[in-house]
Each structure stands twice: as structure tokens, then as C-alpha cells.
Amino acid sequence: MGRCYLQLSFEERIKIAKWREAKMPIPEIADRLSRAPSTIYRDLKRNHFDGGGLPELAGYYALNAQTMSEKRRALHRKMVQHPQLKAAVEHGLKAGWSPEQIAGRMRLEQHGVRVSHETIYRYTYSKEGRAEQFYRHLPEHRRRRRPRGYRRYQRSHISDAQNLSNRPDRVAERVEFGHWECDLVMFRKEHGKINVTSLVERVSRYTVVLRNEDRRSKPIMEALIQGLSALPADARQSITFDRGSEFSAWQRLKDGIGADSWFCDPRAPWQKGTVENTNNRLRKFLPRSTEPTALTNRYLRSICQRLNATPRKCLGYRTPAEVFEAKLVDIQNRLT
């Protein structure tokens, strides 16, 4: 596999300029820089200063060559070339959309000028993007991209539960609508016991967020019953939990709304990855430093509306709200 081509750096151009002034042959310059001679020839030709009407000033200068190269590269970056495109991307990021969601939605809506998610990331971490602190608009506000890592979880054991391995294939494979995943979003201990339930439907990725006054299981289950009871029975068939003690009163769901409960293996909450991913998205609006006593139902609903109006790659860049509403219409049509 060939080596990936890298642009000449400013330091390399300084050396080229010095060695050319000393009349060093280009093949020797290329050998010293571990570059192909064609790379040096091309840079000397493309970034040659013509003297601006003064032939005696013509030549190759490192700073001038670097500036010319950067300007030429910028012209080929869509977000520099098209300010309206950059504004549209920035608007999507500020709305909480990821670069991949923005790019996918542009393809779905067949925009005349659009970008890939990689182009958005490249601009974010380019010289121009860093100068504008564009990374602040990304969902996780990271100053630089990082490789995928692992997360550690600590959960207590819960007994007398239906294991996830017994969950029907139609649920596991997201074939059937009406199956949810649930978790709690916690805040710093000094803020008290108030927390938030995050609930996500597995097919549509539709999100519901509920406030809890503490981590007692019975009130949490009662809140789930109240929150889901307005839906048709086919839209609330089961909920998958991890083995946290806050879900120990799971039998109440069956008695209250007829919903089954499924539980991940011990210390394996990643098995309900949909809600774990949603929790990461929620942290943009509900960081751990949040003062939970100030959380109102109106604010939590506004968060849900933003998440459910965000296009998702797994949905063909449709929004969770669009898919969820279509599934409810299908249920209504079957009942009539």
C-alpha cells in the first residue's frame, strides 16, 4: 500500500528556499527531505514569486510559498468557497445535529451544494476553523478528534428478571415497533436525588424524557406507566433496562400497561446501546453540572423536540418524529 501524500510543511519550505539559494540540486533536496523530486519541482513552480514587476525580487520564498499554498487549498474547501453552505452547517450544529446528520440530511433533501461529514470535520480542525473555534458547535465540543474508546460502567445486580437473551428476535432485530429502552441520567451528588429518565423507542429512535424526584424504583415505574399509557398498546409492548436497582419494580409495568421488561446481562448496559447513545446526546443539554431542581417539564419537552427533529443516519436521515408518527398511523389504520 502506497504512502499517503502529505503537503509540504512550512519548515520543509524554509529548507527548500535555503538549499535552492545555495544552488543545491533538486534531486539532492528531495533526498534530504525524503520526498519525490517531482514534489519539489511542482512546489517551486506553483509557489514561485514573480517579483511583482521587479524581476530582481523574483524567486522562491518560504513564507510566500506557504501563503500561496494555503490560499489555493482554501479555494477548494467548500465551506470557504460557499459562505451560505458554511452558515447552513453552522445552523445545524447549533441545533444539536452531528456533522454526519447534517451531511446526510443534505443528501436526502438533494441540496445543490452539499458536503460530507468528513469535510465538516476537516474544516472544523483547519487553521480557519480553529481560529473561529468552530469545534464549539460540535455536539461534544472537542478541541481535536479522538479515536473510539471504551466506557466503564458500574451497575448493581437485579434478580428475578427476564434476561435479554430470551427477548424475541423480532425485537432484537428492530423488526417490530413499540419496544423501548430505558435508563437514568444522573447529576452531581451535591445537587440532590433528582434525576431524569430517558426512554427511546428502538425502531424510530423517538425519545421521551421524564423528571424523577429520586431513584426509588416504584415512582420511576409509575412515571413510565403515566408517560406511555396514552399510546396504543402496540406502541408500548416492552422496555429493556440494565440491572440498576432503580428498575427493580419492573413487575408494575406489566400490571399497569401490559408491557414486558427485559434486562441486560450484569455489567453490560452497552446491550441497550440505543438509549446509551441517546444519553450522550442528552448531555449536550443536561451536563452533570446541571442544577436539576431548575428542570421544568417544558424544558425537558423542548429537549425531546430537538432530538426527535434531528435526522438520523440509521433512519435514512429521516427524523425520529417522522418515523414514530408514521408507525402510529400504521397502527391506527390496522385498528380501523
Side-chain angles (χ1 to χ4, degrees):
M1 186 179 233
R3 181 171 62 89
C4 177
Y5 177 73
L6 298 175
Q7 295 290 329
L8 287 169
S9 67
F10 181 47
E11 290 74 17
E12 288 177 309
R13 289 190 168 104
I14 291 175
K15 294 177 181 179
I16 292 171
K18 181 180 66 174
W19 291 334
R20 282 302 291 163
E21 187 176 0
K23 308 299 183 182
M24 183 182 292
I26 289 178
E28 185 176 346
I29 293 175
D31 185 60
R32 290 192 180 194
L33 295 177
S34 299
R35 294 281 190 169
S38 59
T39 298
I40 311 302
Y41 280 112
R42 182 168 53 246
D43 203 67
L44 289 170
K45 180 178 179 180
R46 298 180 74 184
N47 298 321
H48 179 82
F49 178 57
D50 61 11
L54 299 172
E56 64 273 16
L57 297 180
Y60 181 89
Y61 304 99
L63 182 59
N64 183 71
Q66 184 72 16
T67 301
M68 292 174 68
S69 176
E70 289 178 354
K71 287 184 178 179
R72 189 164 52 248
R73 292 183 70 193
L75 289 175
H76 293 85
R77 289 201 292 270
K78 287 185 178 180
M79 289 180 62
V80 175
Q81 192 175 7
H82 301 282
Q84 301 90 342
L85 178 64
K86 176 187 170 185
V89 170
E90 188 170 354
H91 177 76
L93 291 172
K94 288 181 177 179
W97 296 14
S98 71
E100 193 171 40
Q101 290 164 344
I102 294 169
R105 191 69 178 189
M106 285 182 172
R107 289 196 300 272
L108 181 66
E109 296 177 351
Q110 299 182 341
H111 285 223
V113 180
R114 53 184 183 263
V115 291
S116 69
H117 69 280
E118 189 61 33
T119 297
I120 298 174
Y121 279 116
R122 282 202 303 267
Y123 177 80
T124 299
Y125 298 112
S126 68
K127 181 179 178 180
E128 296 86 355
R130 289 184 183 278
E132 299 175 20
Q133 294 188 320
F134 210 73
Y135 68 88
R136 292 183 179 275
H137 301 316
L138 295 177
E140 295 187 0
H141 313 293
R142 298 196 180 279
R143 291 177 180 269
R144 56 180 56 86
R145 299 178 75 173
R146 68 171 187 175
R148 291 179 182 270
Y150 70 91
R151 294 179 58 191
R152 293 176 296 175
Y153 300 89
Q154 294 181 350
R155 289 288 184 177
S156 58
H157 179 73
I158 183 171
S159 59
D160 300 325
Q162 298 186 90
N163 192 275
L164 203 64
S165 60
N166 297 320
R167 191 173 62 177
D169 290 342
R170 65 181 184 277
V171 181
E173 296 171 4
R174 303 180 194 269
V175 174
E176 189 173 69
F177 176 70
H179 300 279
W180 301 72
E181 294 180 9
C182 181
D183 200 5
L184 294 190
V185 176
M186 310 299 295
F187 305 102
R188 291 177 179 169
K189 290 183 179 179
E190 58 265 31
H191 294 321
K193 298 181 179 180
I194 296 175
N195 60 80
V196 168
T197 297
S198 56
L199 193 64
V200 187
E201 200 282 316
R202 284 174 52 80
V203 171
S204 64
R205 276 67 170 185
Y206 187 84
T207 301
V208 175
V209 179
L210 306 169
R211 170 175 159 153
N212 304 308
E213 297 306 314
D214 56 38
R215 292 181 61 175
R216 291 180 299 149
S217 186
K218 290 181 180 179
I220 288 175
M221 292 300 159
E222 292 299 329
L224 288 176
I225 292 170
Q226 184 176 357
L228 296 176
S229 60
L231 294 174
D234 287 349
R236 45 174 169 80
Q237 299 186 60
S238 77
I239 303 178
T240 297
F241 303 100
D242 59 35
R243 292 181 178 262
S245 60
E246 59 269 22
F247 305 125
S248 60
W250 56 271
Q251 295 95 334
R252 287 176 172 262
L253 286 174
K254 191 69 173 181
D255 297 334
I257 55 175
D260 291 323
S261 296
W262 305 100
F263 285 83
C264 303
D265 294 329
R267 297 179 297 281
W270 52 266
Q271 292 176 340
K272 54 177 180 55
T274 303
V275 73
E276 294 288 322
N277 178 273
T278 299
N279 287 350
N280 288 337
R281 298 171 188 272
L282 282 172
R283 283 301 184 189
K284 177 181 176 66
F285 311 101
L286 299 172
R288 292 188 181 276
S289 58
T290 299
E291 174 53 70
T293 57
L295 294 178
T296 64
N297 290 328
R298 180 178 181 181
Y299 178 64
L300 294 178
R301 284 196 298 270
S302 71
I303 294 175
C304 292
Q305 289 169 357
R306 292 188 68 171
L307 291 179
N308 293 329
T310 299
R312 303 290 298 275
K313 179 181 180 180
C314 58
L315 302 177
Y317 295 102
R318 293 176 294 169
T319 69
E322 291 169 345
V323 176
F324 190 80
E325 291 168 6
K327 293 294 184 180
L328 289 182
V329 170
D330 289 342
I331 291 174
Q332 293 295 338
N333 290 338
R334 291 201 303 268
L335 296 176
T336 57

